[in-house]
Amino acid sequence: MEYLSSLFVDFTLAFFVACCWGILFGSPFKSLWMIGLLGGMGHALRFVLLNMEFGLIASTLAASILVGLAGIAGAHKVHTPPVVITMPACITMIPGLYAYRTMLALIKLSDKDIVAKQPDILPTIAHNTVLTFSLLFALAIGISVSALFFRNKSAKEIRWGRR
């Protein structure tokens, strides 16, 4: 029961964060519910996969692929281009914490006393930098996959399981 409540909280928070980013990006009001739904679904999938120990990068890639593919169908529902709803929805998975840790460690690197007390600062910088860029790359790939699959068709031309 605790897992389900944590999943619900994760979905809800991601829903509202994605909606807020949609507002900040100037997305049409009619598309905010779809942005929130995609953001919540993507972050919830990432949450589930992380709990199944898939790894952070693989979980983020899978979640961004879900957002990208569902974004094509969702864009058709709200009559907007897919990028209008997929970009704010994926913002919830941006690796801000790891970028922050990288910058903080780089700042500490300028002080000789801190470097002497923390000899592992360079591996920490390298780890957080690689993780940050890997997650950003996974998000970019995940969103782009749907555009690559359906690049010659609009959302109206795609048959979603109907004949």
mmCIF file of all heavy atoms in Angstrom, residues 98-99 101-110 115 120-133:
data_model
loop_
_atom_site.group_PDB
_atom_site.id
_atom_site.type_symbol
_atom_site.label_atom_id
_atom_site.label_comp_id
_atom_site.label_asym_id
_atom_site.label_seq_id
_atom_site.Cartn_x
_atom_site.Cartn_y
_atom_site.Cartn_z
ATOM 1 N N TYR A 98 22.014 16.269 -10.368
ATOM 2 C CA TYR A 98 23.358 15.850 -10.753
ATOM 3 C C TYR A 98 24.143 17.010 -11.369
ATOM 4 O O TYR A 98 25.350 17.123 -11.166
ATOM 5 C CB TYR A 98 23.294 14.649 -11.692
ATOM 6 C CG TYR A 98 22.584 13.494 -11.038
ATOM 7 C CD1 TYR A 98 21.291 13.142 -11.399
ATOM 8 C CD2 TYR A 98 23.200 12.794 -10.011
ATOM 9 C CE1 TYR A 98 20.634 12.103 -10.762
ATOM 10 C CE2 TYR A 98 22.555 11.755 -9.376
ATOM 11 C CZ TYR A 98 21.270 11.418 -9.752
ATOM 12 O OH TYR A 98 20.611 10.403 -9.116
ATOM 13 N N ALA A 99 23.466 17.880 -12.102
ATOM 14 C CA ALA A 99 24.129 19.077 -12.631
ATOM 15 C C ALA A 99 24.542 19.997 -11.489
ATOM 16 O O ALA A 99 25.641 20.564 -11.500
ATOM 17 C CB ALA A 99 23.195 19.802 -13.595
ATOM 18 N N ARG A 101 25.223 19.082 -8.374
ATOM 19 C CA ARG A 101 26.359 18.451 -7.678
ATOM 20 C C ARG A 101 27.661 18.636 -8.463
ATOM 21 O O ARG A 101 28.734 18.813 -7.873
ATOM 22 C CB ARG A 101 26.085 16.972 -7.459
ATOM 23 C CG ARG A 101 25.051 16.715 -6.389
ATOM 24 C CD ARG A 101 24.792 15.235 -6.238
ATOM 25 N NE ARG A 101 23.793 14.967 -5.211
ATOM 26 C CZ ARG A 101 23.208 13.804 -5.055
ATOM 27 N NH1 ARG A 101 23.513 12.782 -5.842
ATOM 28 N NH2 ARG A 101 22.313 13.633 -4.111
ATOM 29 N N THR A 102 27.560 18.585 -9.797
ATOM 30 C CA THR A 102 28.740 18.813 -10.625
ATOM 31 C C THR A 102 29.266 20.229 -10.434
ATOM 32 O O THR A 102 30.471 20.437 -10.220
ATOM 33 C CB THR A 102 28.409 18.583 -12.115
ATOM 34 O OG1 THR A 102 27.955 17.247 -12.291
ATOM 35 C CG2 THR A 102 29.615 18.833 -13.000
ATOM 36 N N MET A 103 28.379 21.203 -10.511
ATOM 37 C CA MET A 103 28.804 22.594 -10.367
ATOM 38 C C MET A 103 29.350 22.874 -8.972
ATOM 39 O O MET A 103 30.344 23.594 -8.822
ATOM 40 C CB MET A 103 27.636 23.541 -10.682
ATOM 41 C CG MET A 103 27.169 23.478 -12.119
ATOM 42 S SD MET A 103 28.487 23.733 -13.326
ATOM 43 C CE MET A 103 28.940 25.403 -12.987
ATOM 44 N N LEU A 104 28.718 22.316 -7.962
ATOM 45 C CA LEU A 104 29.187 22.512 -6.590
ATOM 46 C C LEU A 104 30.591 21.935 -6.404
ATOM 47 O O LEU A 104 31.458 22.562 -5.793
ATOM 48 C CB LEU A 104 28.204 21.873 -5.609
ATOM 49 C CG LEU A 104 28.395 22.182 -4.138
ATOM 50 C CD1 LEU A 104 28.234 23.673 -3.883
ATOM 51 C CD2 LEU A 104 27.399 21.395 -3.312
ATOM 52 N N ALA A 105 30.819 20.755 -6.947
ATOM 53 C CA ALA A 105 32.145 20.137 -6.843
ATOM 54 C C ALA A 105 33.179 20.926 -7.642
ATOM 55 O O ALA A 105 34.335 21.047 -7.217
ATOM 56 C CB ALA A 105 32.090 18.689 -7.324
ATOM 57 N N LEU A 106 32.787 21.488 -8.783
ATOM 58 C CA LEU A 106 33.710 22.313 -9.554
ATOM 59 C C LEU A 106 34.098 23.574 -8.793
ATOM 60 O O LEU A 106 35.252 24.022 -8.857
ATOM 61 C CB LEU A 106 33.091 22.681 -10.908
ATOM 62 C CG LEU A 106 33.114 21.587 -11.971
ATOM 63 C CD1 LEU A 106 32.247 21.978 -13.158
ATOM 64 C CD2 LEU A 106 34.536 21.292 -12.404
ATOM 65 N N ILE A 107 33.145 24.146 -8.087
ATOM 66 C CA ILE A 107 33.444 25.327 -7.268
ATOM 67 C C ILE A 107 34.403 24.950 -6.138
ATOM 68 O O ILE A 107 35.349 25.679 -5.837
ATOM 69 C CB ILE A 107 32.152 25.960 -6.733
ATOM 70 C CG1 ILE A 107 31.360 26.583 -7.886
ATOM 71 C CG2 ILE A 107 32.450 27.001 -5.659
ATOM 72 C CD1 ILE A 107 29.955 26.986 -7.524
ATOM 73 N N LYS A 108 34.160 23.799 -5.509
ATOM 74 C CA LYS A 108 35.043 23.340 -4.429
ATOM 75 C C LYS A 108 36.454 23.066 -4.937
ATOM 76 O O LYS A 108 37.425 23.165 -4.189
ATOM 77 C CB LYS A 108 34.483 22.070 -3.785
ATOM 78 C CG LYS A 108 33.259 22.291 -2.947
ATOM 79 C CD LYS A 108 32.780 20.964 -2.382
ATOM 80 C CE LYS A 108 31.534 21.144 -1.543
ATOM 81 N NZ LYS A 108 31.061 19.842 -1.015
ATOM 82 N N LEU A 109 36.557 22.716 -6.206
ATOM 83 C CA LEU A 109 37.851 22.392 -6.796
ATOM 84 C C LEU A 109 38.801 23.594 -6.786
ATOM 85 O O LEU A 109 40.015 23.428 -6.799
ATOM 86 C CB LEU A 109 37.644 21.902 -8.235
ATOM 87 C CG LEU A 109 38.801 21.228 -8.939
ATOM 88 C CD1 LEU A 109 39.231 19.993 -8.171
ATOM 89 C CD2 LEU A 109 38.401 20.854 -10.344
ATOM 90 N N SER A 110 38.250 24.787 -6.707
ATOM 91 C CA SER A 110 39.091 25.993 -6.712
ATOM 92 C C SER A 110 39.762 26.264 -5.363
ATOM 93 O O SER A 110 40.642 27.107 -5.271
ATOM 94 C CB SER A 110 38.264 27.205 -7.123
ATOM 95 O OG SER A 110 37.293 27.485 -6.128
ATOM 96 N N VAL A 115 40.175 20.492 -1.577
ATOM 97 C CA VAL A 115 40.728 19.407 -2.409
ATOM 98 C C VAL A 115 41.583 18.474 -1.554
ATOM 99 O O VAL A 115 41.540 17.250 -1.721
ATOM 100 C CB VAL A 115 41.533 19.978 -3.600
ATOM 101 C CG1 VAL A 115 42.241 18.879 -4.367
ATOM 102 C CG2 VAL A 115 40.617 20.768 -4.524
ATOM 103 N N ASP A 120 38.594 12.638 -3.319
ATOM 104 C CA ASP A 120 37.719 12.001 -4.312
ATOM 105 C C ASP A 120 36.872 13.008 -5.085
ATOM 106 O O ASP A 120 35.912 12.627 -5.748
ATOM 107 C CB ASP A 120 36.812 10.985 -3.626
ATOM 108 C CG ASP A 120 35.837 11.632 -2.659
ATOM 109 O OD1 ASP A 120 36.142 12.732 -2.159
ATOM 110 O OD2 ASP A 120 34.776 11.027 -2.404
ATOM 111 N N ILE A 121 37.240 14.268 -5.062
ATOM 112 C CA ILE A 121 36.418 15.293 -5.698
ATOM 113 C C ILE A 121 36.427 15.175 -7.227
ATOM 114 O O ILE A 121 35.398 15.374 -7.873
ATOM 115 C CB ILE A 121 36.816 16.712 -5.232
ATOM 116 C CG1 ILE A 121 35.696 17.695 -5.565
ATOM 117 C CG2 ILE A 121 38.122 17.152 -5.819
ATOM 118 C CD1 ILE A 121 35.767 18.979 -4.783
ATOM 119 N N LEU A 122 37.568 14.821 -7.822
ATOM 120 C CA LEU A 122 37.617 14.670 -9.283
ATOM 121 C C LEU A 122 36.775 13.495 -9.772
ATOM 122 O O LEU A 122 36.036 13.641 -10.751
ATOM 123 C CB LEU A 122 39.059 14.557 -9.763
ATOM 124 C CG LEU A 122 39.842 15.875 -9.794
ATOM 125 C CD1 LEU A 122 41.289 15.643 -10.190
ATOM 126 C CD2 LEU A 122 39.182 16.861 -10.725
ATOM 127 N N PRO A 123 36.831 12.317 -9.141
ATOM 128 C CA PRO A 123 35.912 11.250 -9.564
ATOM 129 C C PRO A 123 34.441 11.621 -9.367
ATOM 130 O O PRO A 123 33.583 11.229 -10.162
ATOM 131 C CB PRO A 123 36.294 10.062 -8.674
ATOM 132 C CG PRO A 123 37.691 10.327 -8.264
ATOM 133 C CD PRO A 123 37.819 11.821 -8.193
ATOM 134 N N THR A 124 34.158 12.404 -8.331
ATOM 135 C CA THR A 124 32.779 12.862 -8.107
ATOM 136 C C THR A 124 32.328 13.770 -9.242
ATOM 137 O O THR A 124 31.213 13.629 -9.751
ATOM 138 C CB THR A 124 32.672 13.601 -6.756
ATOM 139 O OG1 THR A 124 33.055 12.711 -5.719
ATOM 140 C CG2 THR A 124 31.273 14.117 -6.515
ATOM 141 N N ILE A 125 33.198 14.689 -9.637
ATOM 142 C CA ILE A 125 32.874 15.587 -10.754
ATOM 143 C C ILE A 125 32.651 14.778 -12.029
ATOM 144 O O ILE A 125 31.666 14.995 -12.747
ATOM 145 C CB ILE A 125 33.993 16.634 -10.961
ATOM 146 C CG1 ILE A 125 34.030 17.622 -9.798
ATOM 147 C CG2 ILE A 125 33.804 17.382 -12.283
ATOM 148 C CD1 ILE A 125 35.227 18.538 -9.806
ATOM 149 N N ALA A 126 33.540 13.846 -12.296
ATOM 150 C CA ALA A 126 33.427 13.030 -13.515
ATOM 151 C C ALA A 126 32.136 12.209 -13.499
ATOM 152 O O ALA A 126 31.410 12.160 -14.508
ATOM 153 C CB ALA A 126 34.642 12.122 -13.648
ATOM 154 N N HIS A 127 31.844 11.588 -12.372
ATOM 155 C CA HIS A 127 30.639 10.763 -12.270
ATOM 156 C C HIS A 127 29.375 11.595 -12.506
ATOM 157 O O HIS A 127 28.508 11.216 -13.305
ATOM 158 C CB HIS A 127 30.580 10.092 -10.896
ATOM 159 C CG HIS A 127 29.292 9.395 -10.623
ATOM 160 N ND1 HIS A 127 28.964 8.194 -11.208
ATOM 161 C CD2 HIS A 127 28.222 9.736 -9.851
ATOM 162 C CE1 HIS A 127 27.766 7.817 -10.807
ATOM 163 N NE2 HIS A 127 27.301 8.741 -9.977
ATOM 164 N N ASN A 128 29.257 12.721 -11.812
ATOM 165 C CA ASN A 128 28.052 13.545 -11.944
ATOM 166 C C ASN A 128 27.929 14.172 -13.324
ATOM 167 O O ASN A 128 26.829 14.307 -13.852
ATOM 168 C CB ASN A 128 28.025 14.621 -10.857
ATOM 169 C CG ASN A 128 27.692 14.038 -9.509
ATOM 170 O OD1 ASN A 128 26.913 13.100 -9.387
ATOM 171 N ND2 ASN A 128 28.294 14.583 -8.462
ATOM 172 N N THR A 129 29.056 14.524 -13.927
ATOM 173 C CA THR A 129 29.020 15.086 -15.282
ATOM 174 C C THR A 129 28.547 14.050 -16.288
ATOM 175 O O THR A 129 27.666 14.331 -17.112
ATOM 176 C CB THR A 129 30.416 15.613 -15.684
ATOM 177 O OG1 THR A 129 30.827 16.601 -14.739
ATOM 178 C CG2 THR A 129 30.403 16.208 -17.076
ATOM 179 N N VAL A 130 29.124 12.866 -16.223
ATOM 180 C CA VAL A 130 28.720 11.800 -17.148
ATOM 181 C C VAL A 130 27.261 11.432 -16.934
ATOM 182 O O VAL A 130 26.507 11.237 -17.901
ATOM 183 C CB VAL A 130 29.649 10.567 -16.997
ATOM 184 C CG1 VAL A 130 29.097 9.367 -17.739
ATOM 185 C CG2 VAL A 130 31.039 10.902 -17.484
ATOM 186 N N LEU A 131 26.830 11.353 -15.692
ATOM 187 C CA LEU A 131 25.433 11.021 -15.403
ATOM 188 C C LEU A 131 24.488 12.106 -15.918
ATOM 189 O O LEU A 131 23.453 11.795 -16.521
ATOM 190 C CB LEU A 131 25.249 10.820 -13.894
ATOM 191 C CG LEU A 131 23.969 10.157 -13.432
ATOM 192 C CD1 LEU A 131 23.743 8.825 -14.130
ATOM 193 C CD2 LEU A 131 24.013 9.950 -11.931
ATOM 194 N N THR A 132 24.841 13.360 -15.725
ATOM 195 C CA THR A 132 24.008 14.464 -16.209
ATOM 196 C C THR A 132 23.846 14.405 -17.716
ATOM 197 O O THR A 132 22.726 14.455 -18.235
ATOM 198 C CB THR A 132 24.620 15.822 -15.804
ATOM 199 O OG1 THR A 132 24.671 15.904 -14.384
ATOM 200 C CG2 THR A 132 23.800 16.979 -16.353
ATOM 201 N N PHE A 133 24.959 14.279 -18.424
ATOM 202 C CA PHE A 133 24.880 14.253 -19.883
ATOM 203 C C PHE A 133 24.227 12.976 -20.410
ATOM 204 O O PHE A 133 23.524 13.008 -21.423
ATOM 205 C CB PHE A 133 26.259 14.472 -20.508
ATOM 206 C CG PHE A 133 26.692 15.907 -20.448
ATOM 207 C CD1 PHE A 133 27.689 16.309 -19.580
ATOM 208 C CD2 PHE A 133 26.076 16.866 -21.244
ATOM 209 C CE1 PHE A 133 28.078 17.635 -19.509
ATOM 210 C CE2 PHE A 133 26.452 18.201 -21.184
ATOM 211 C CZ PHE A 133 27.459 18.590 -20.315
#
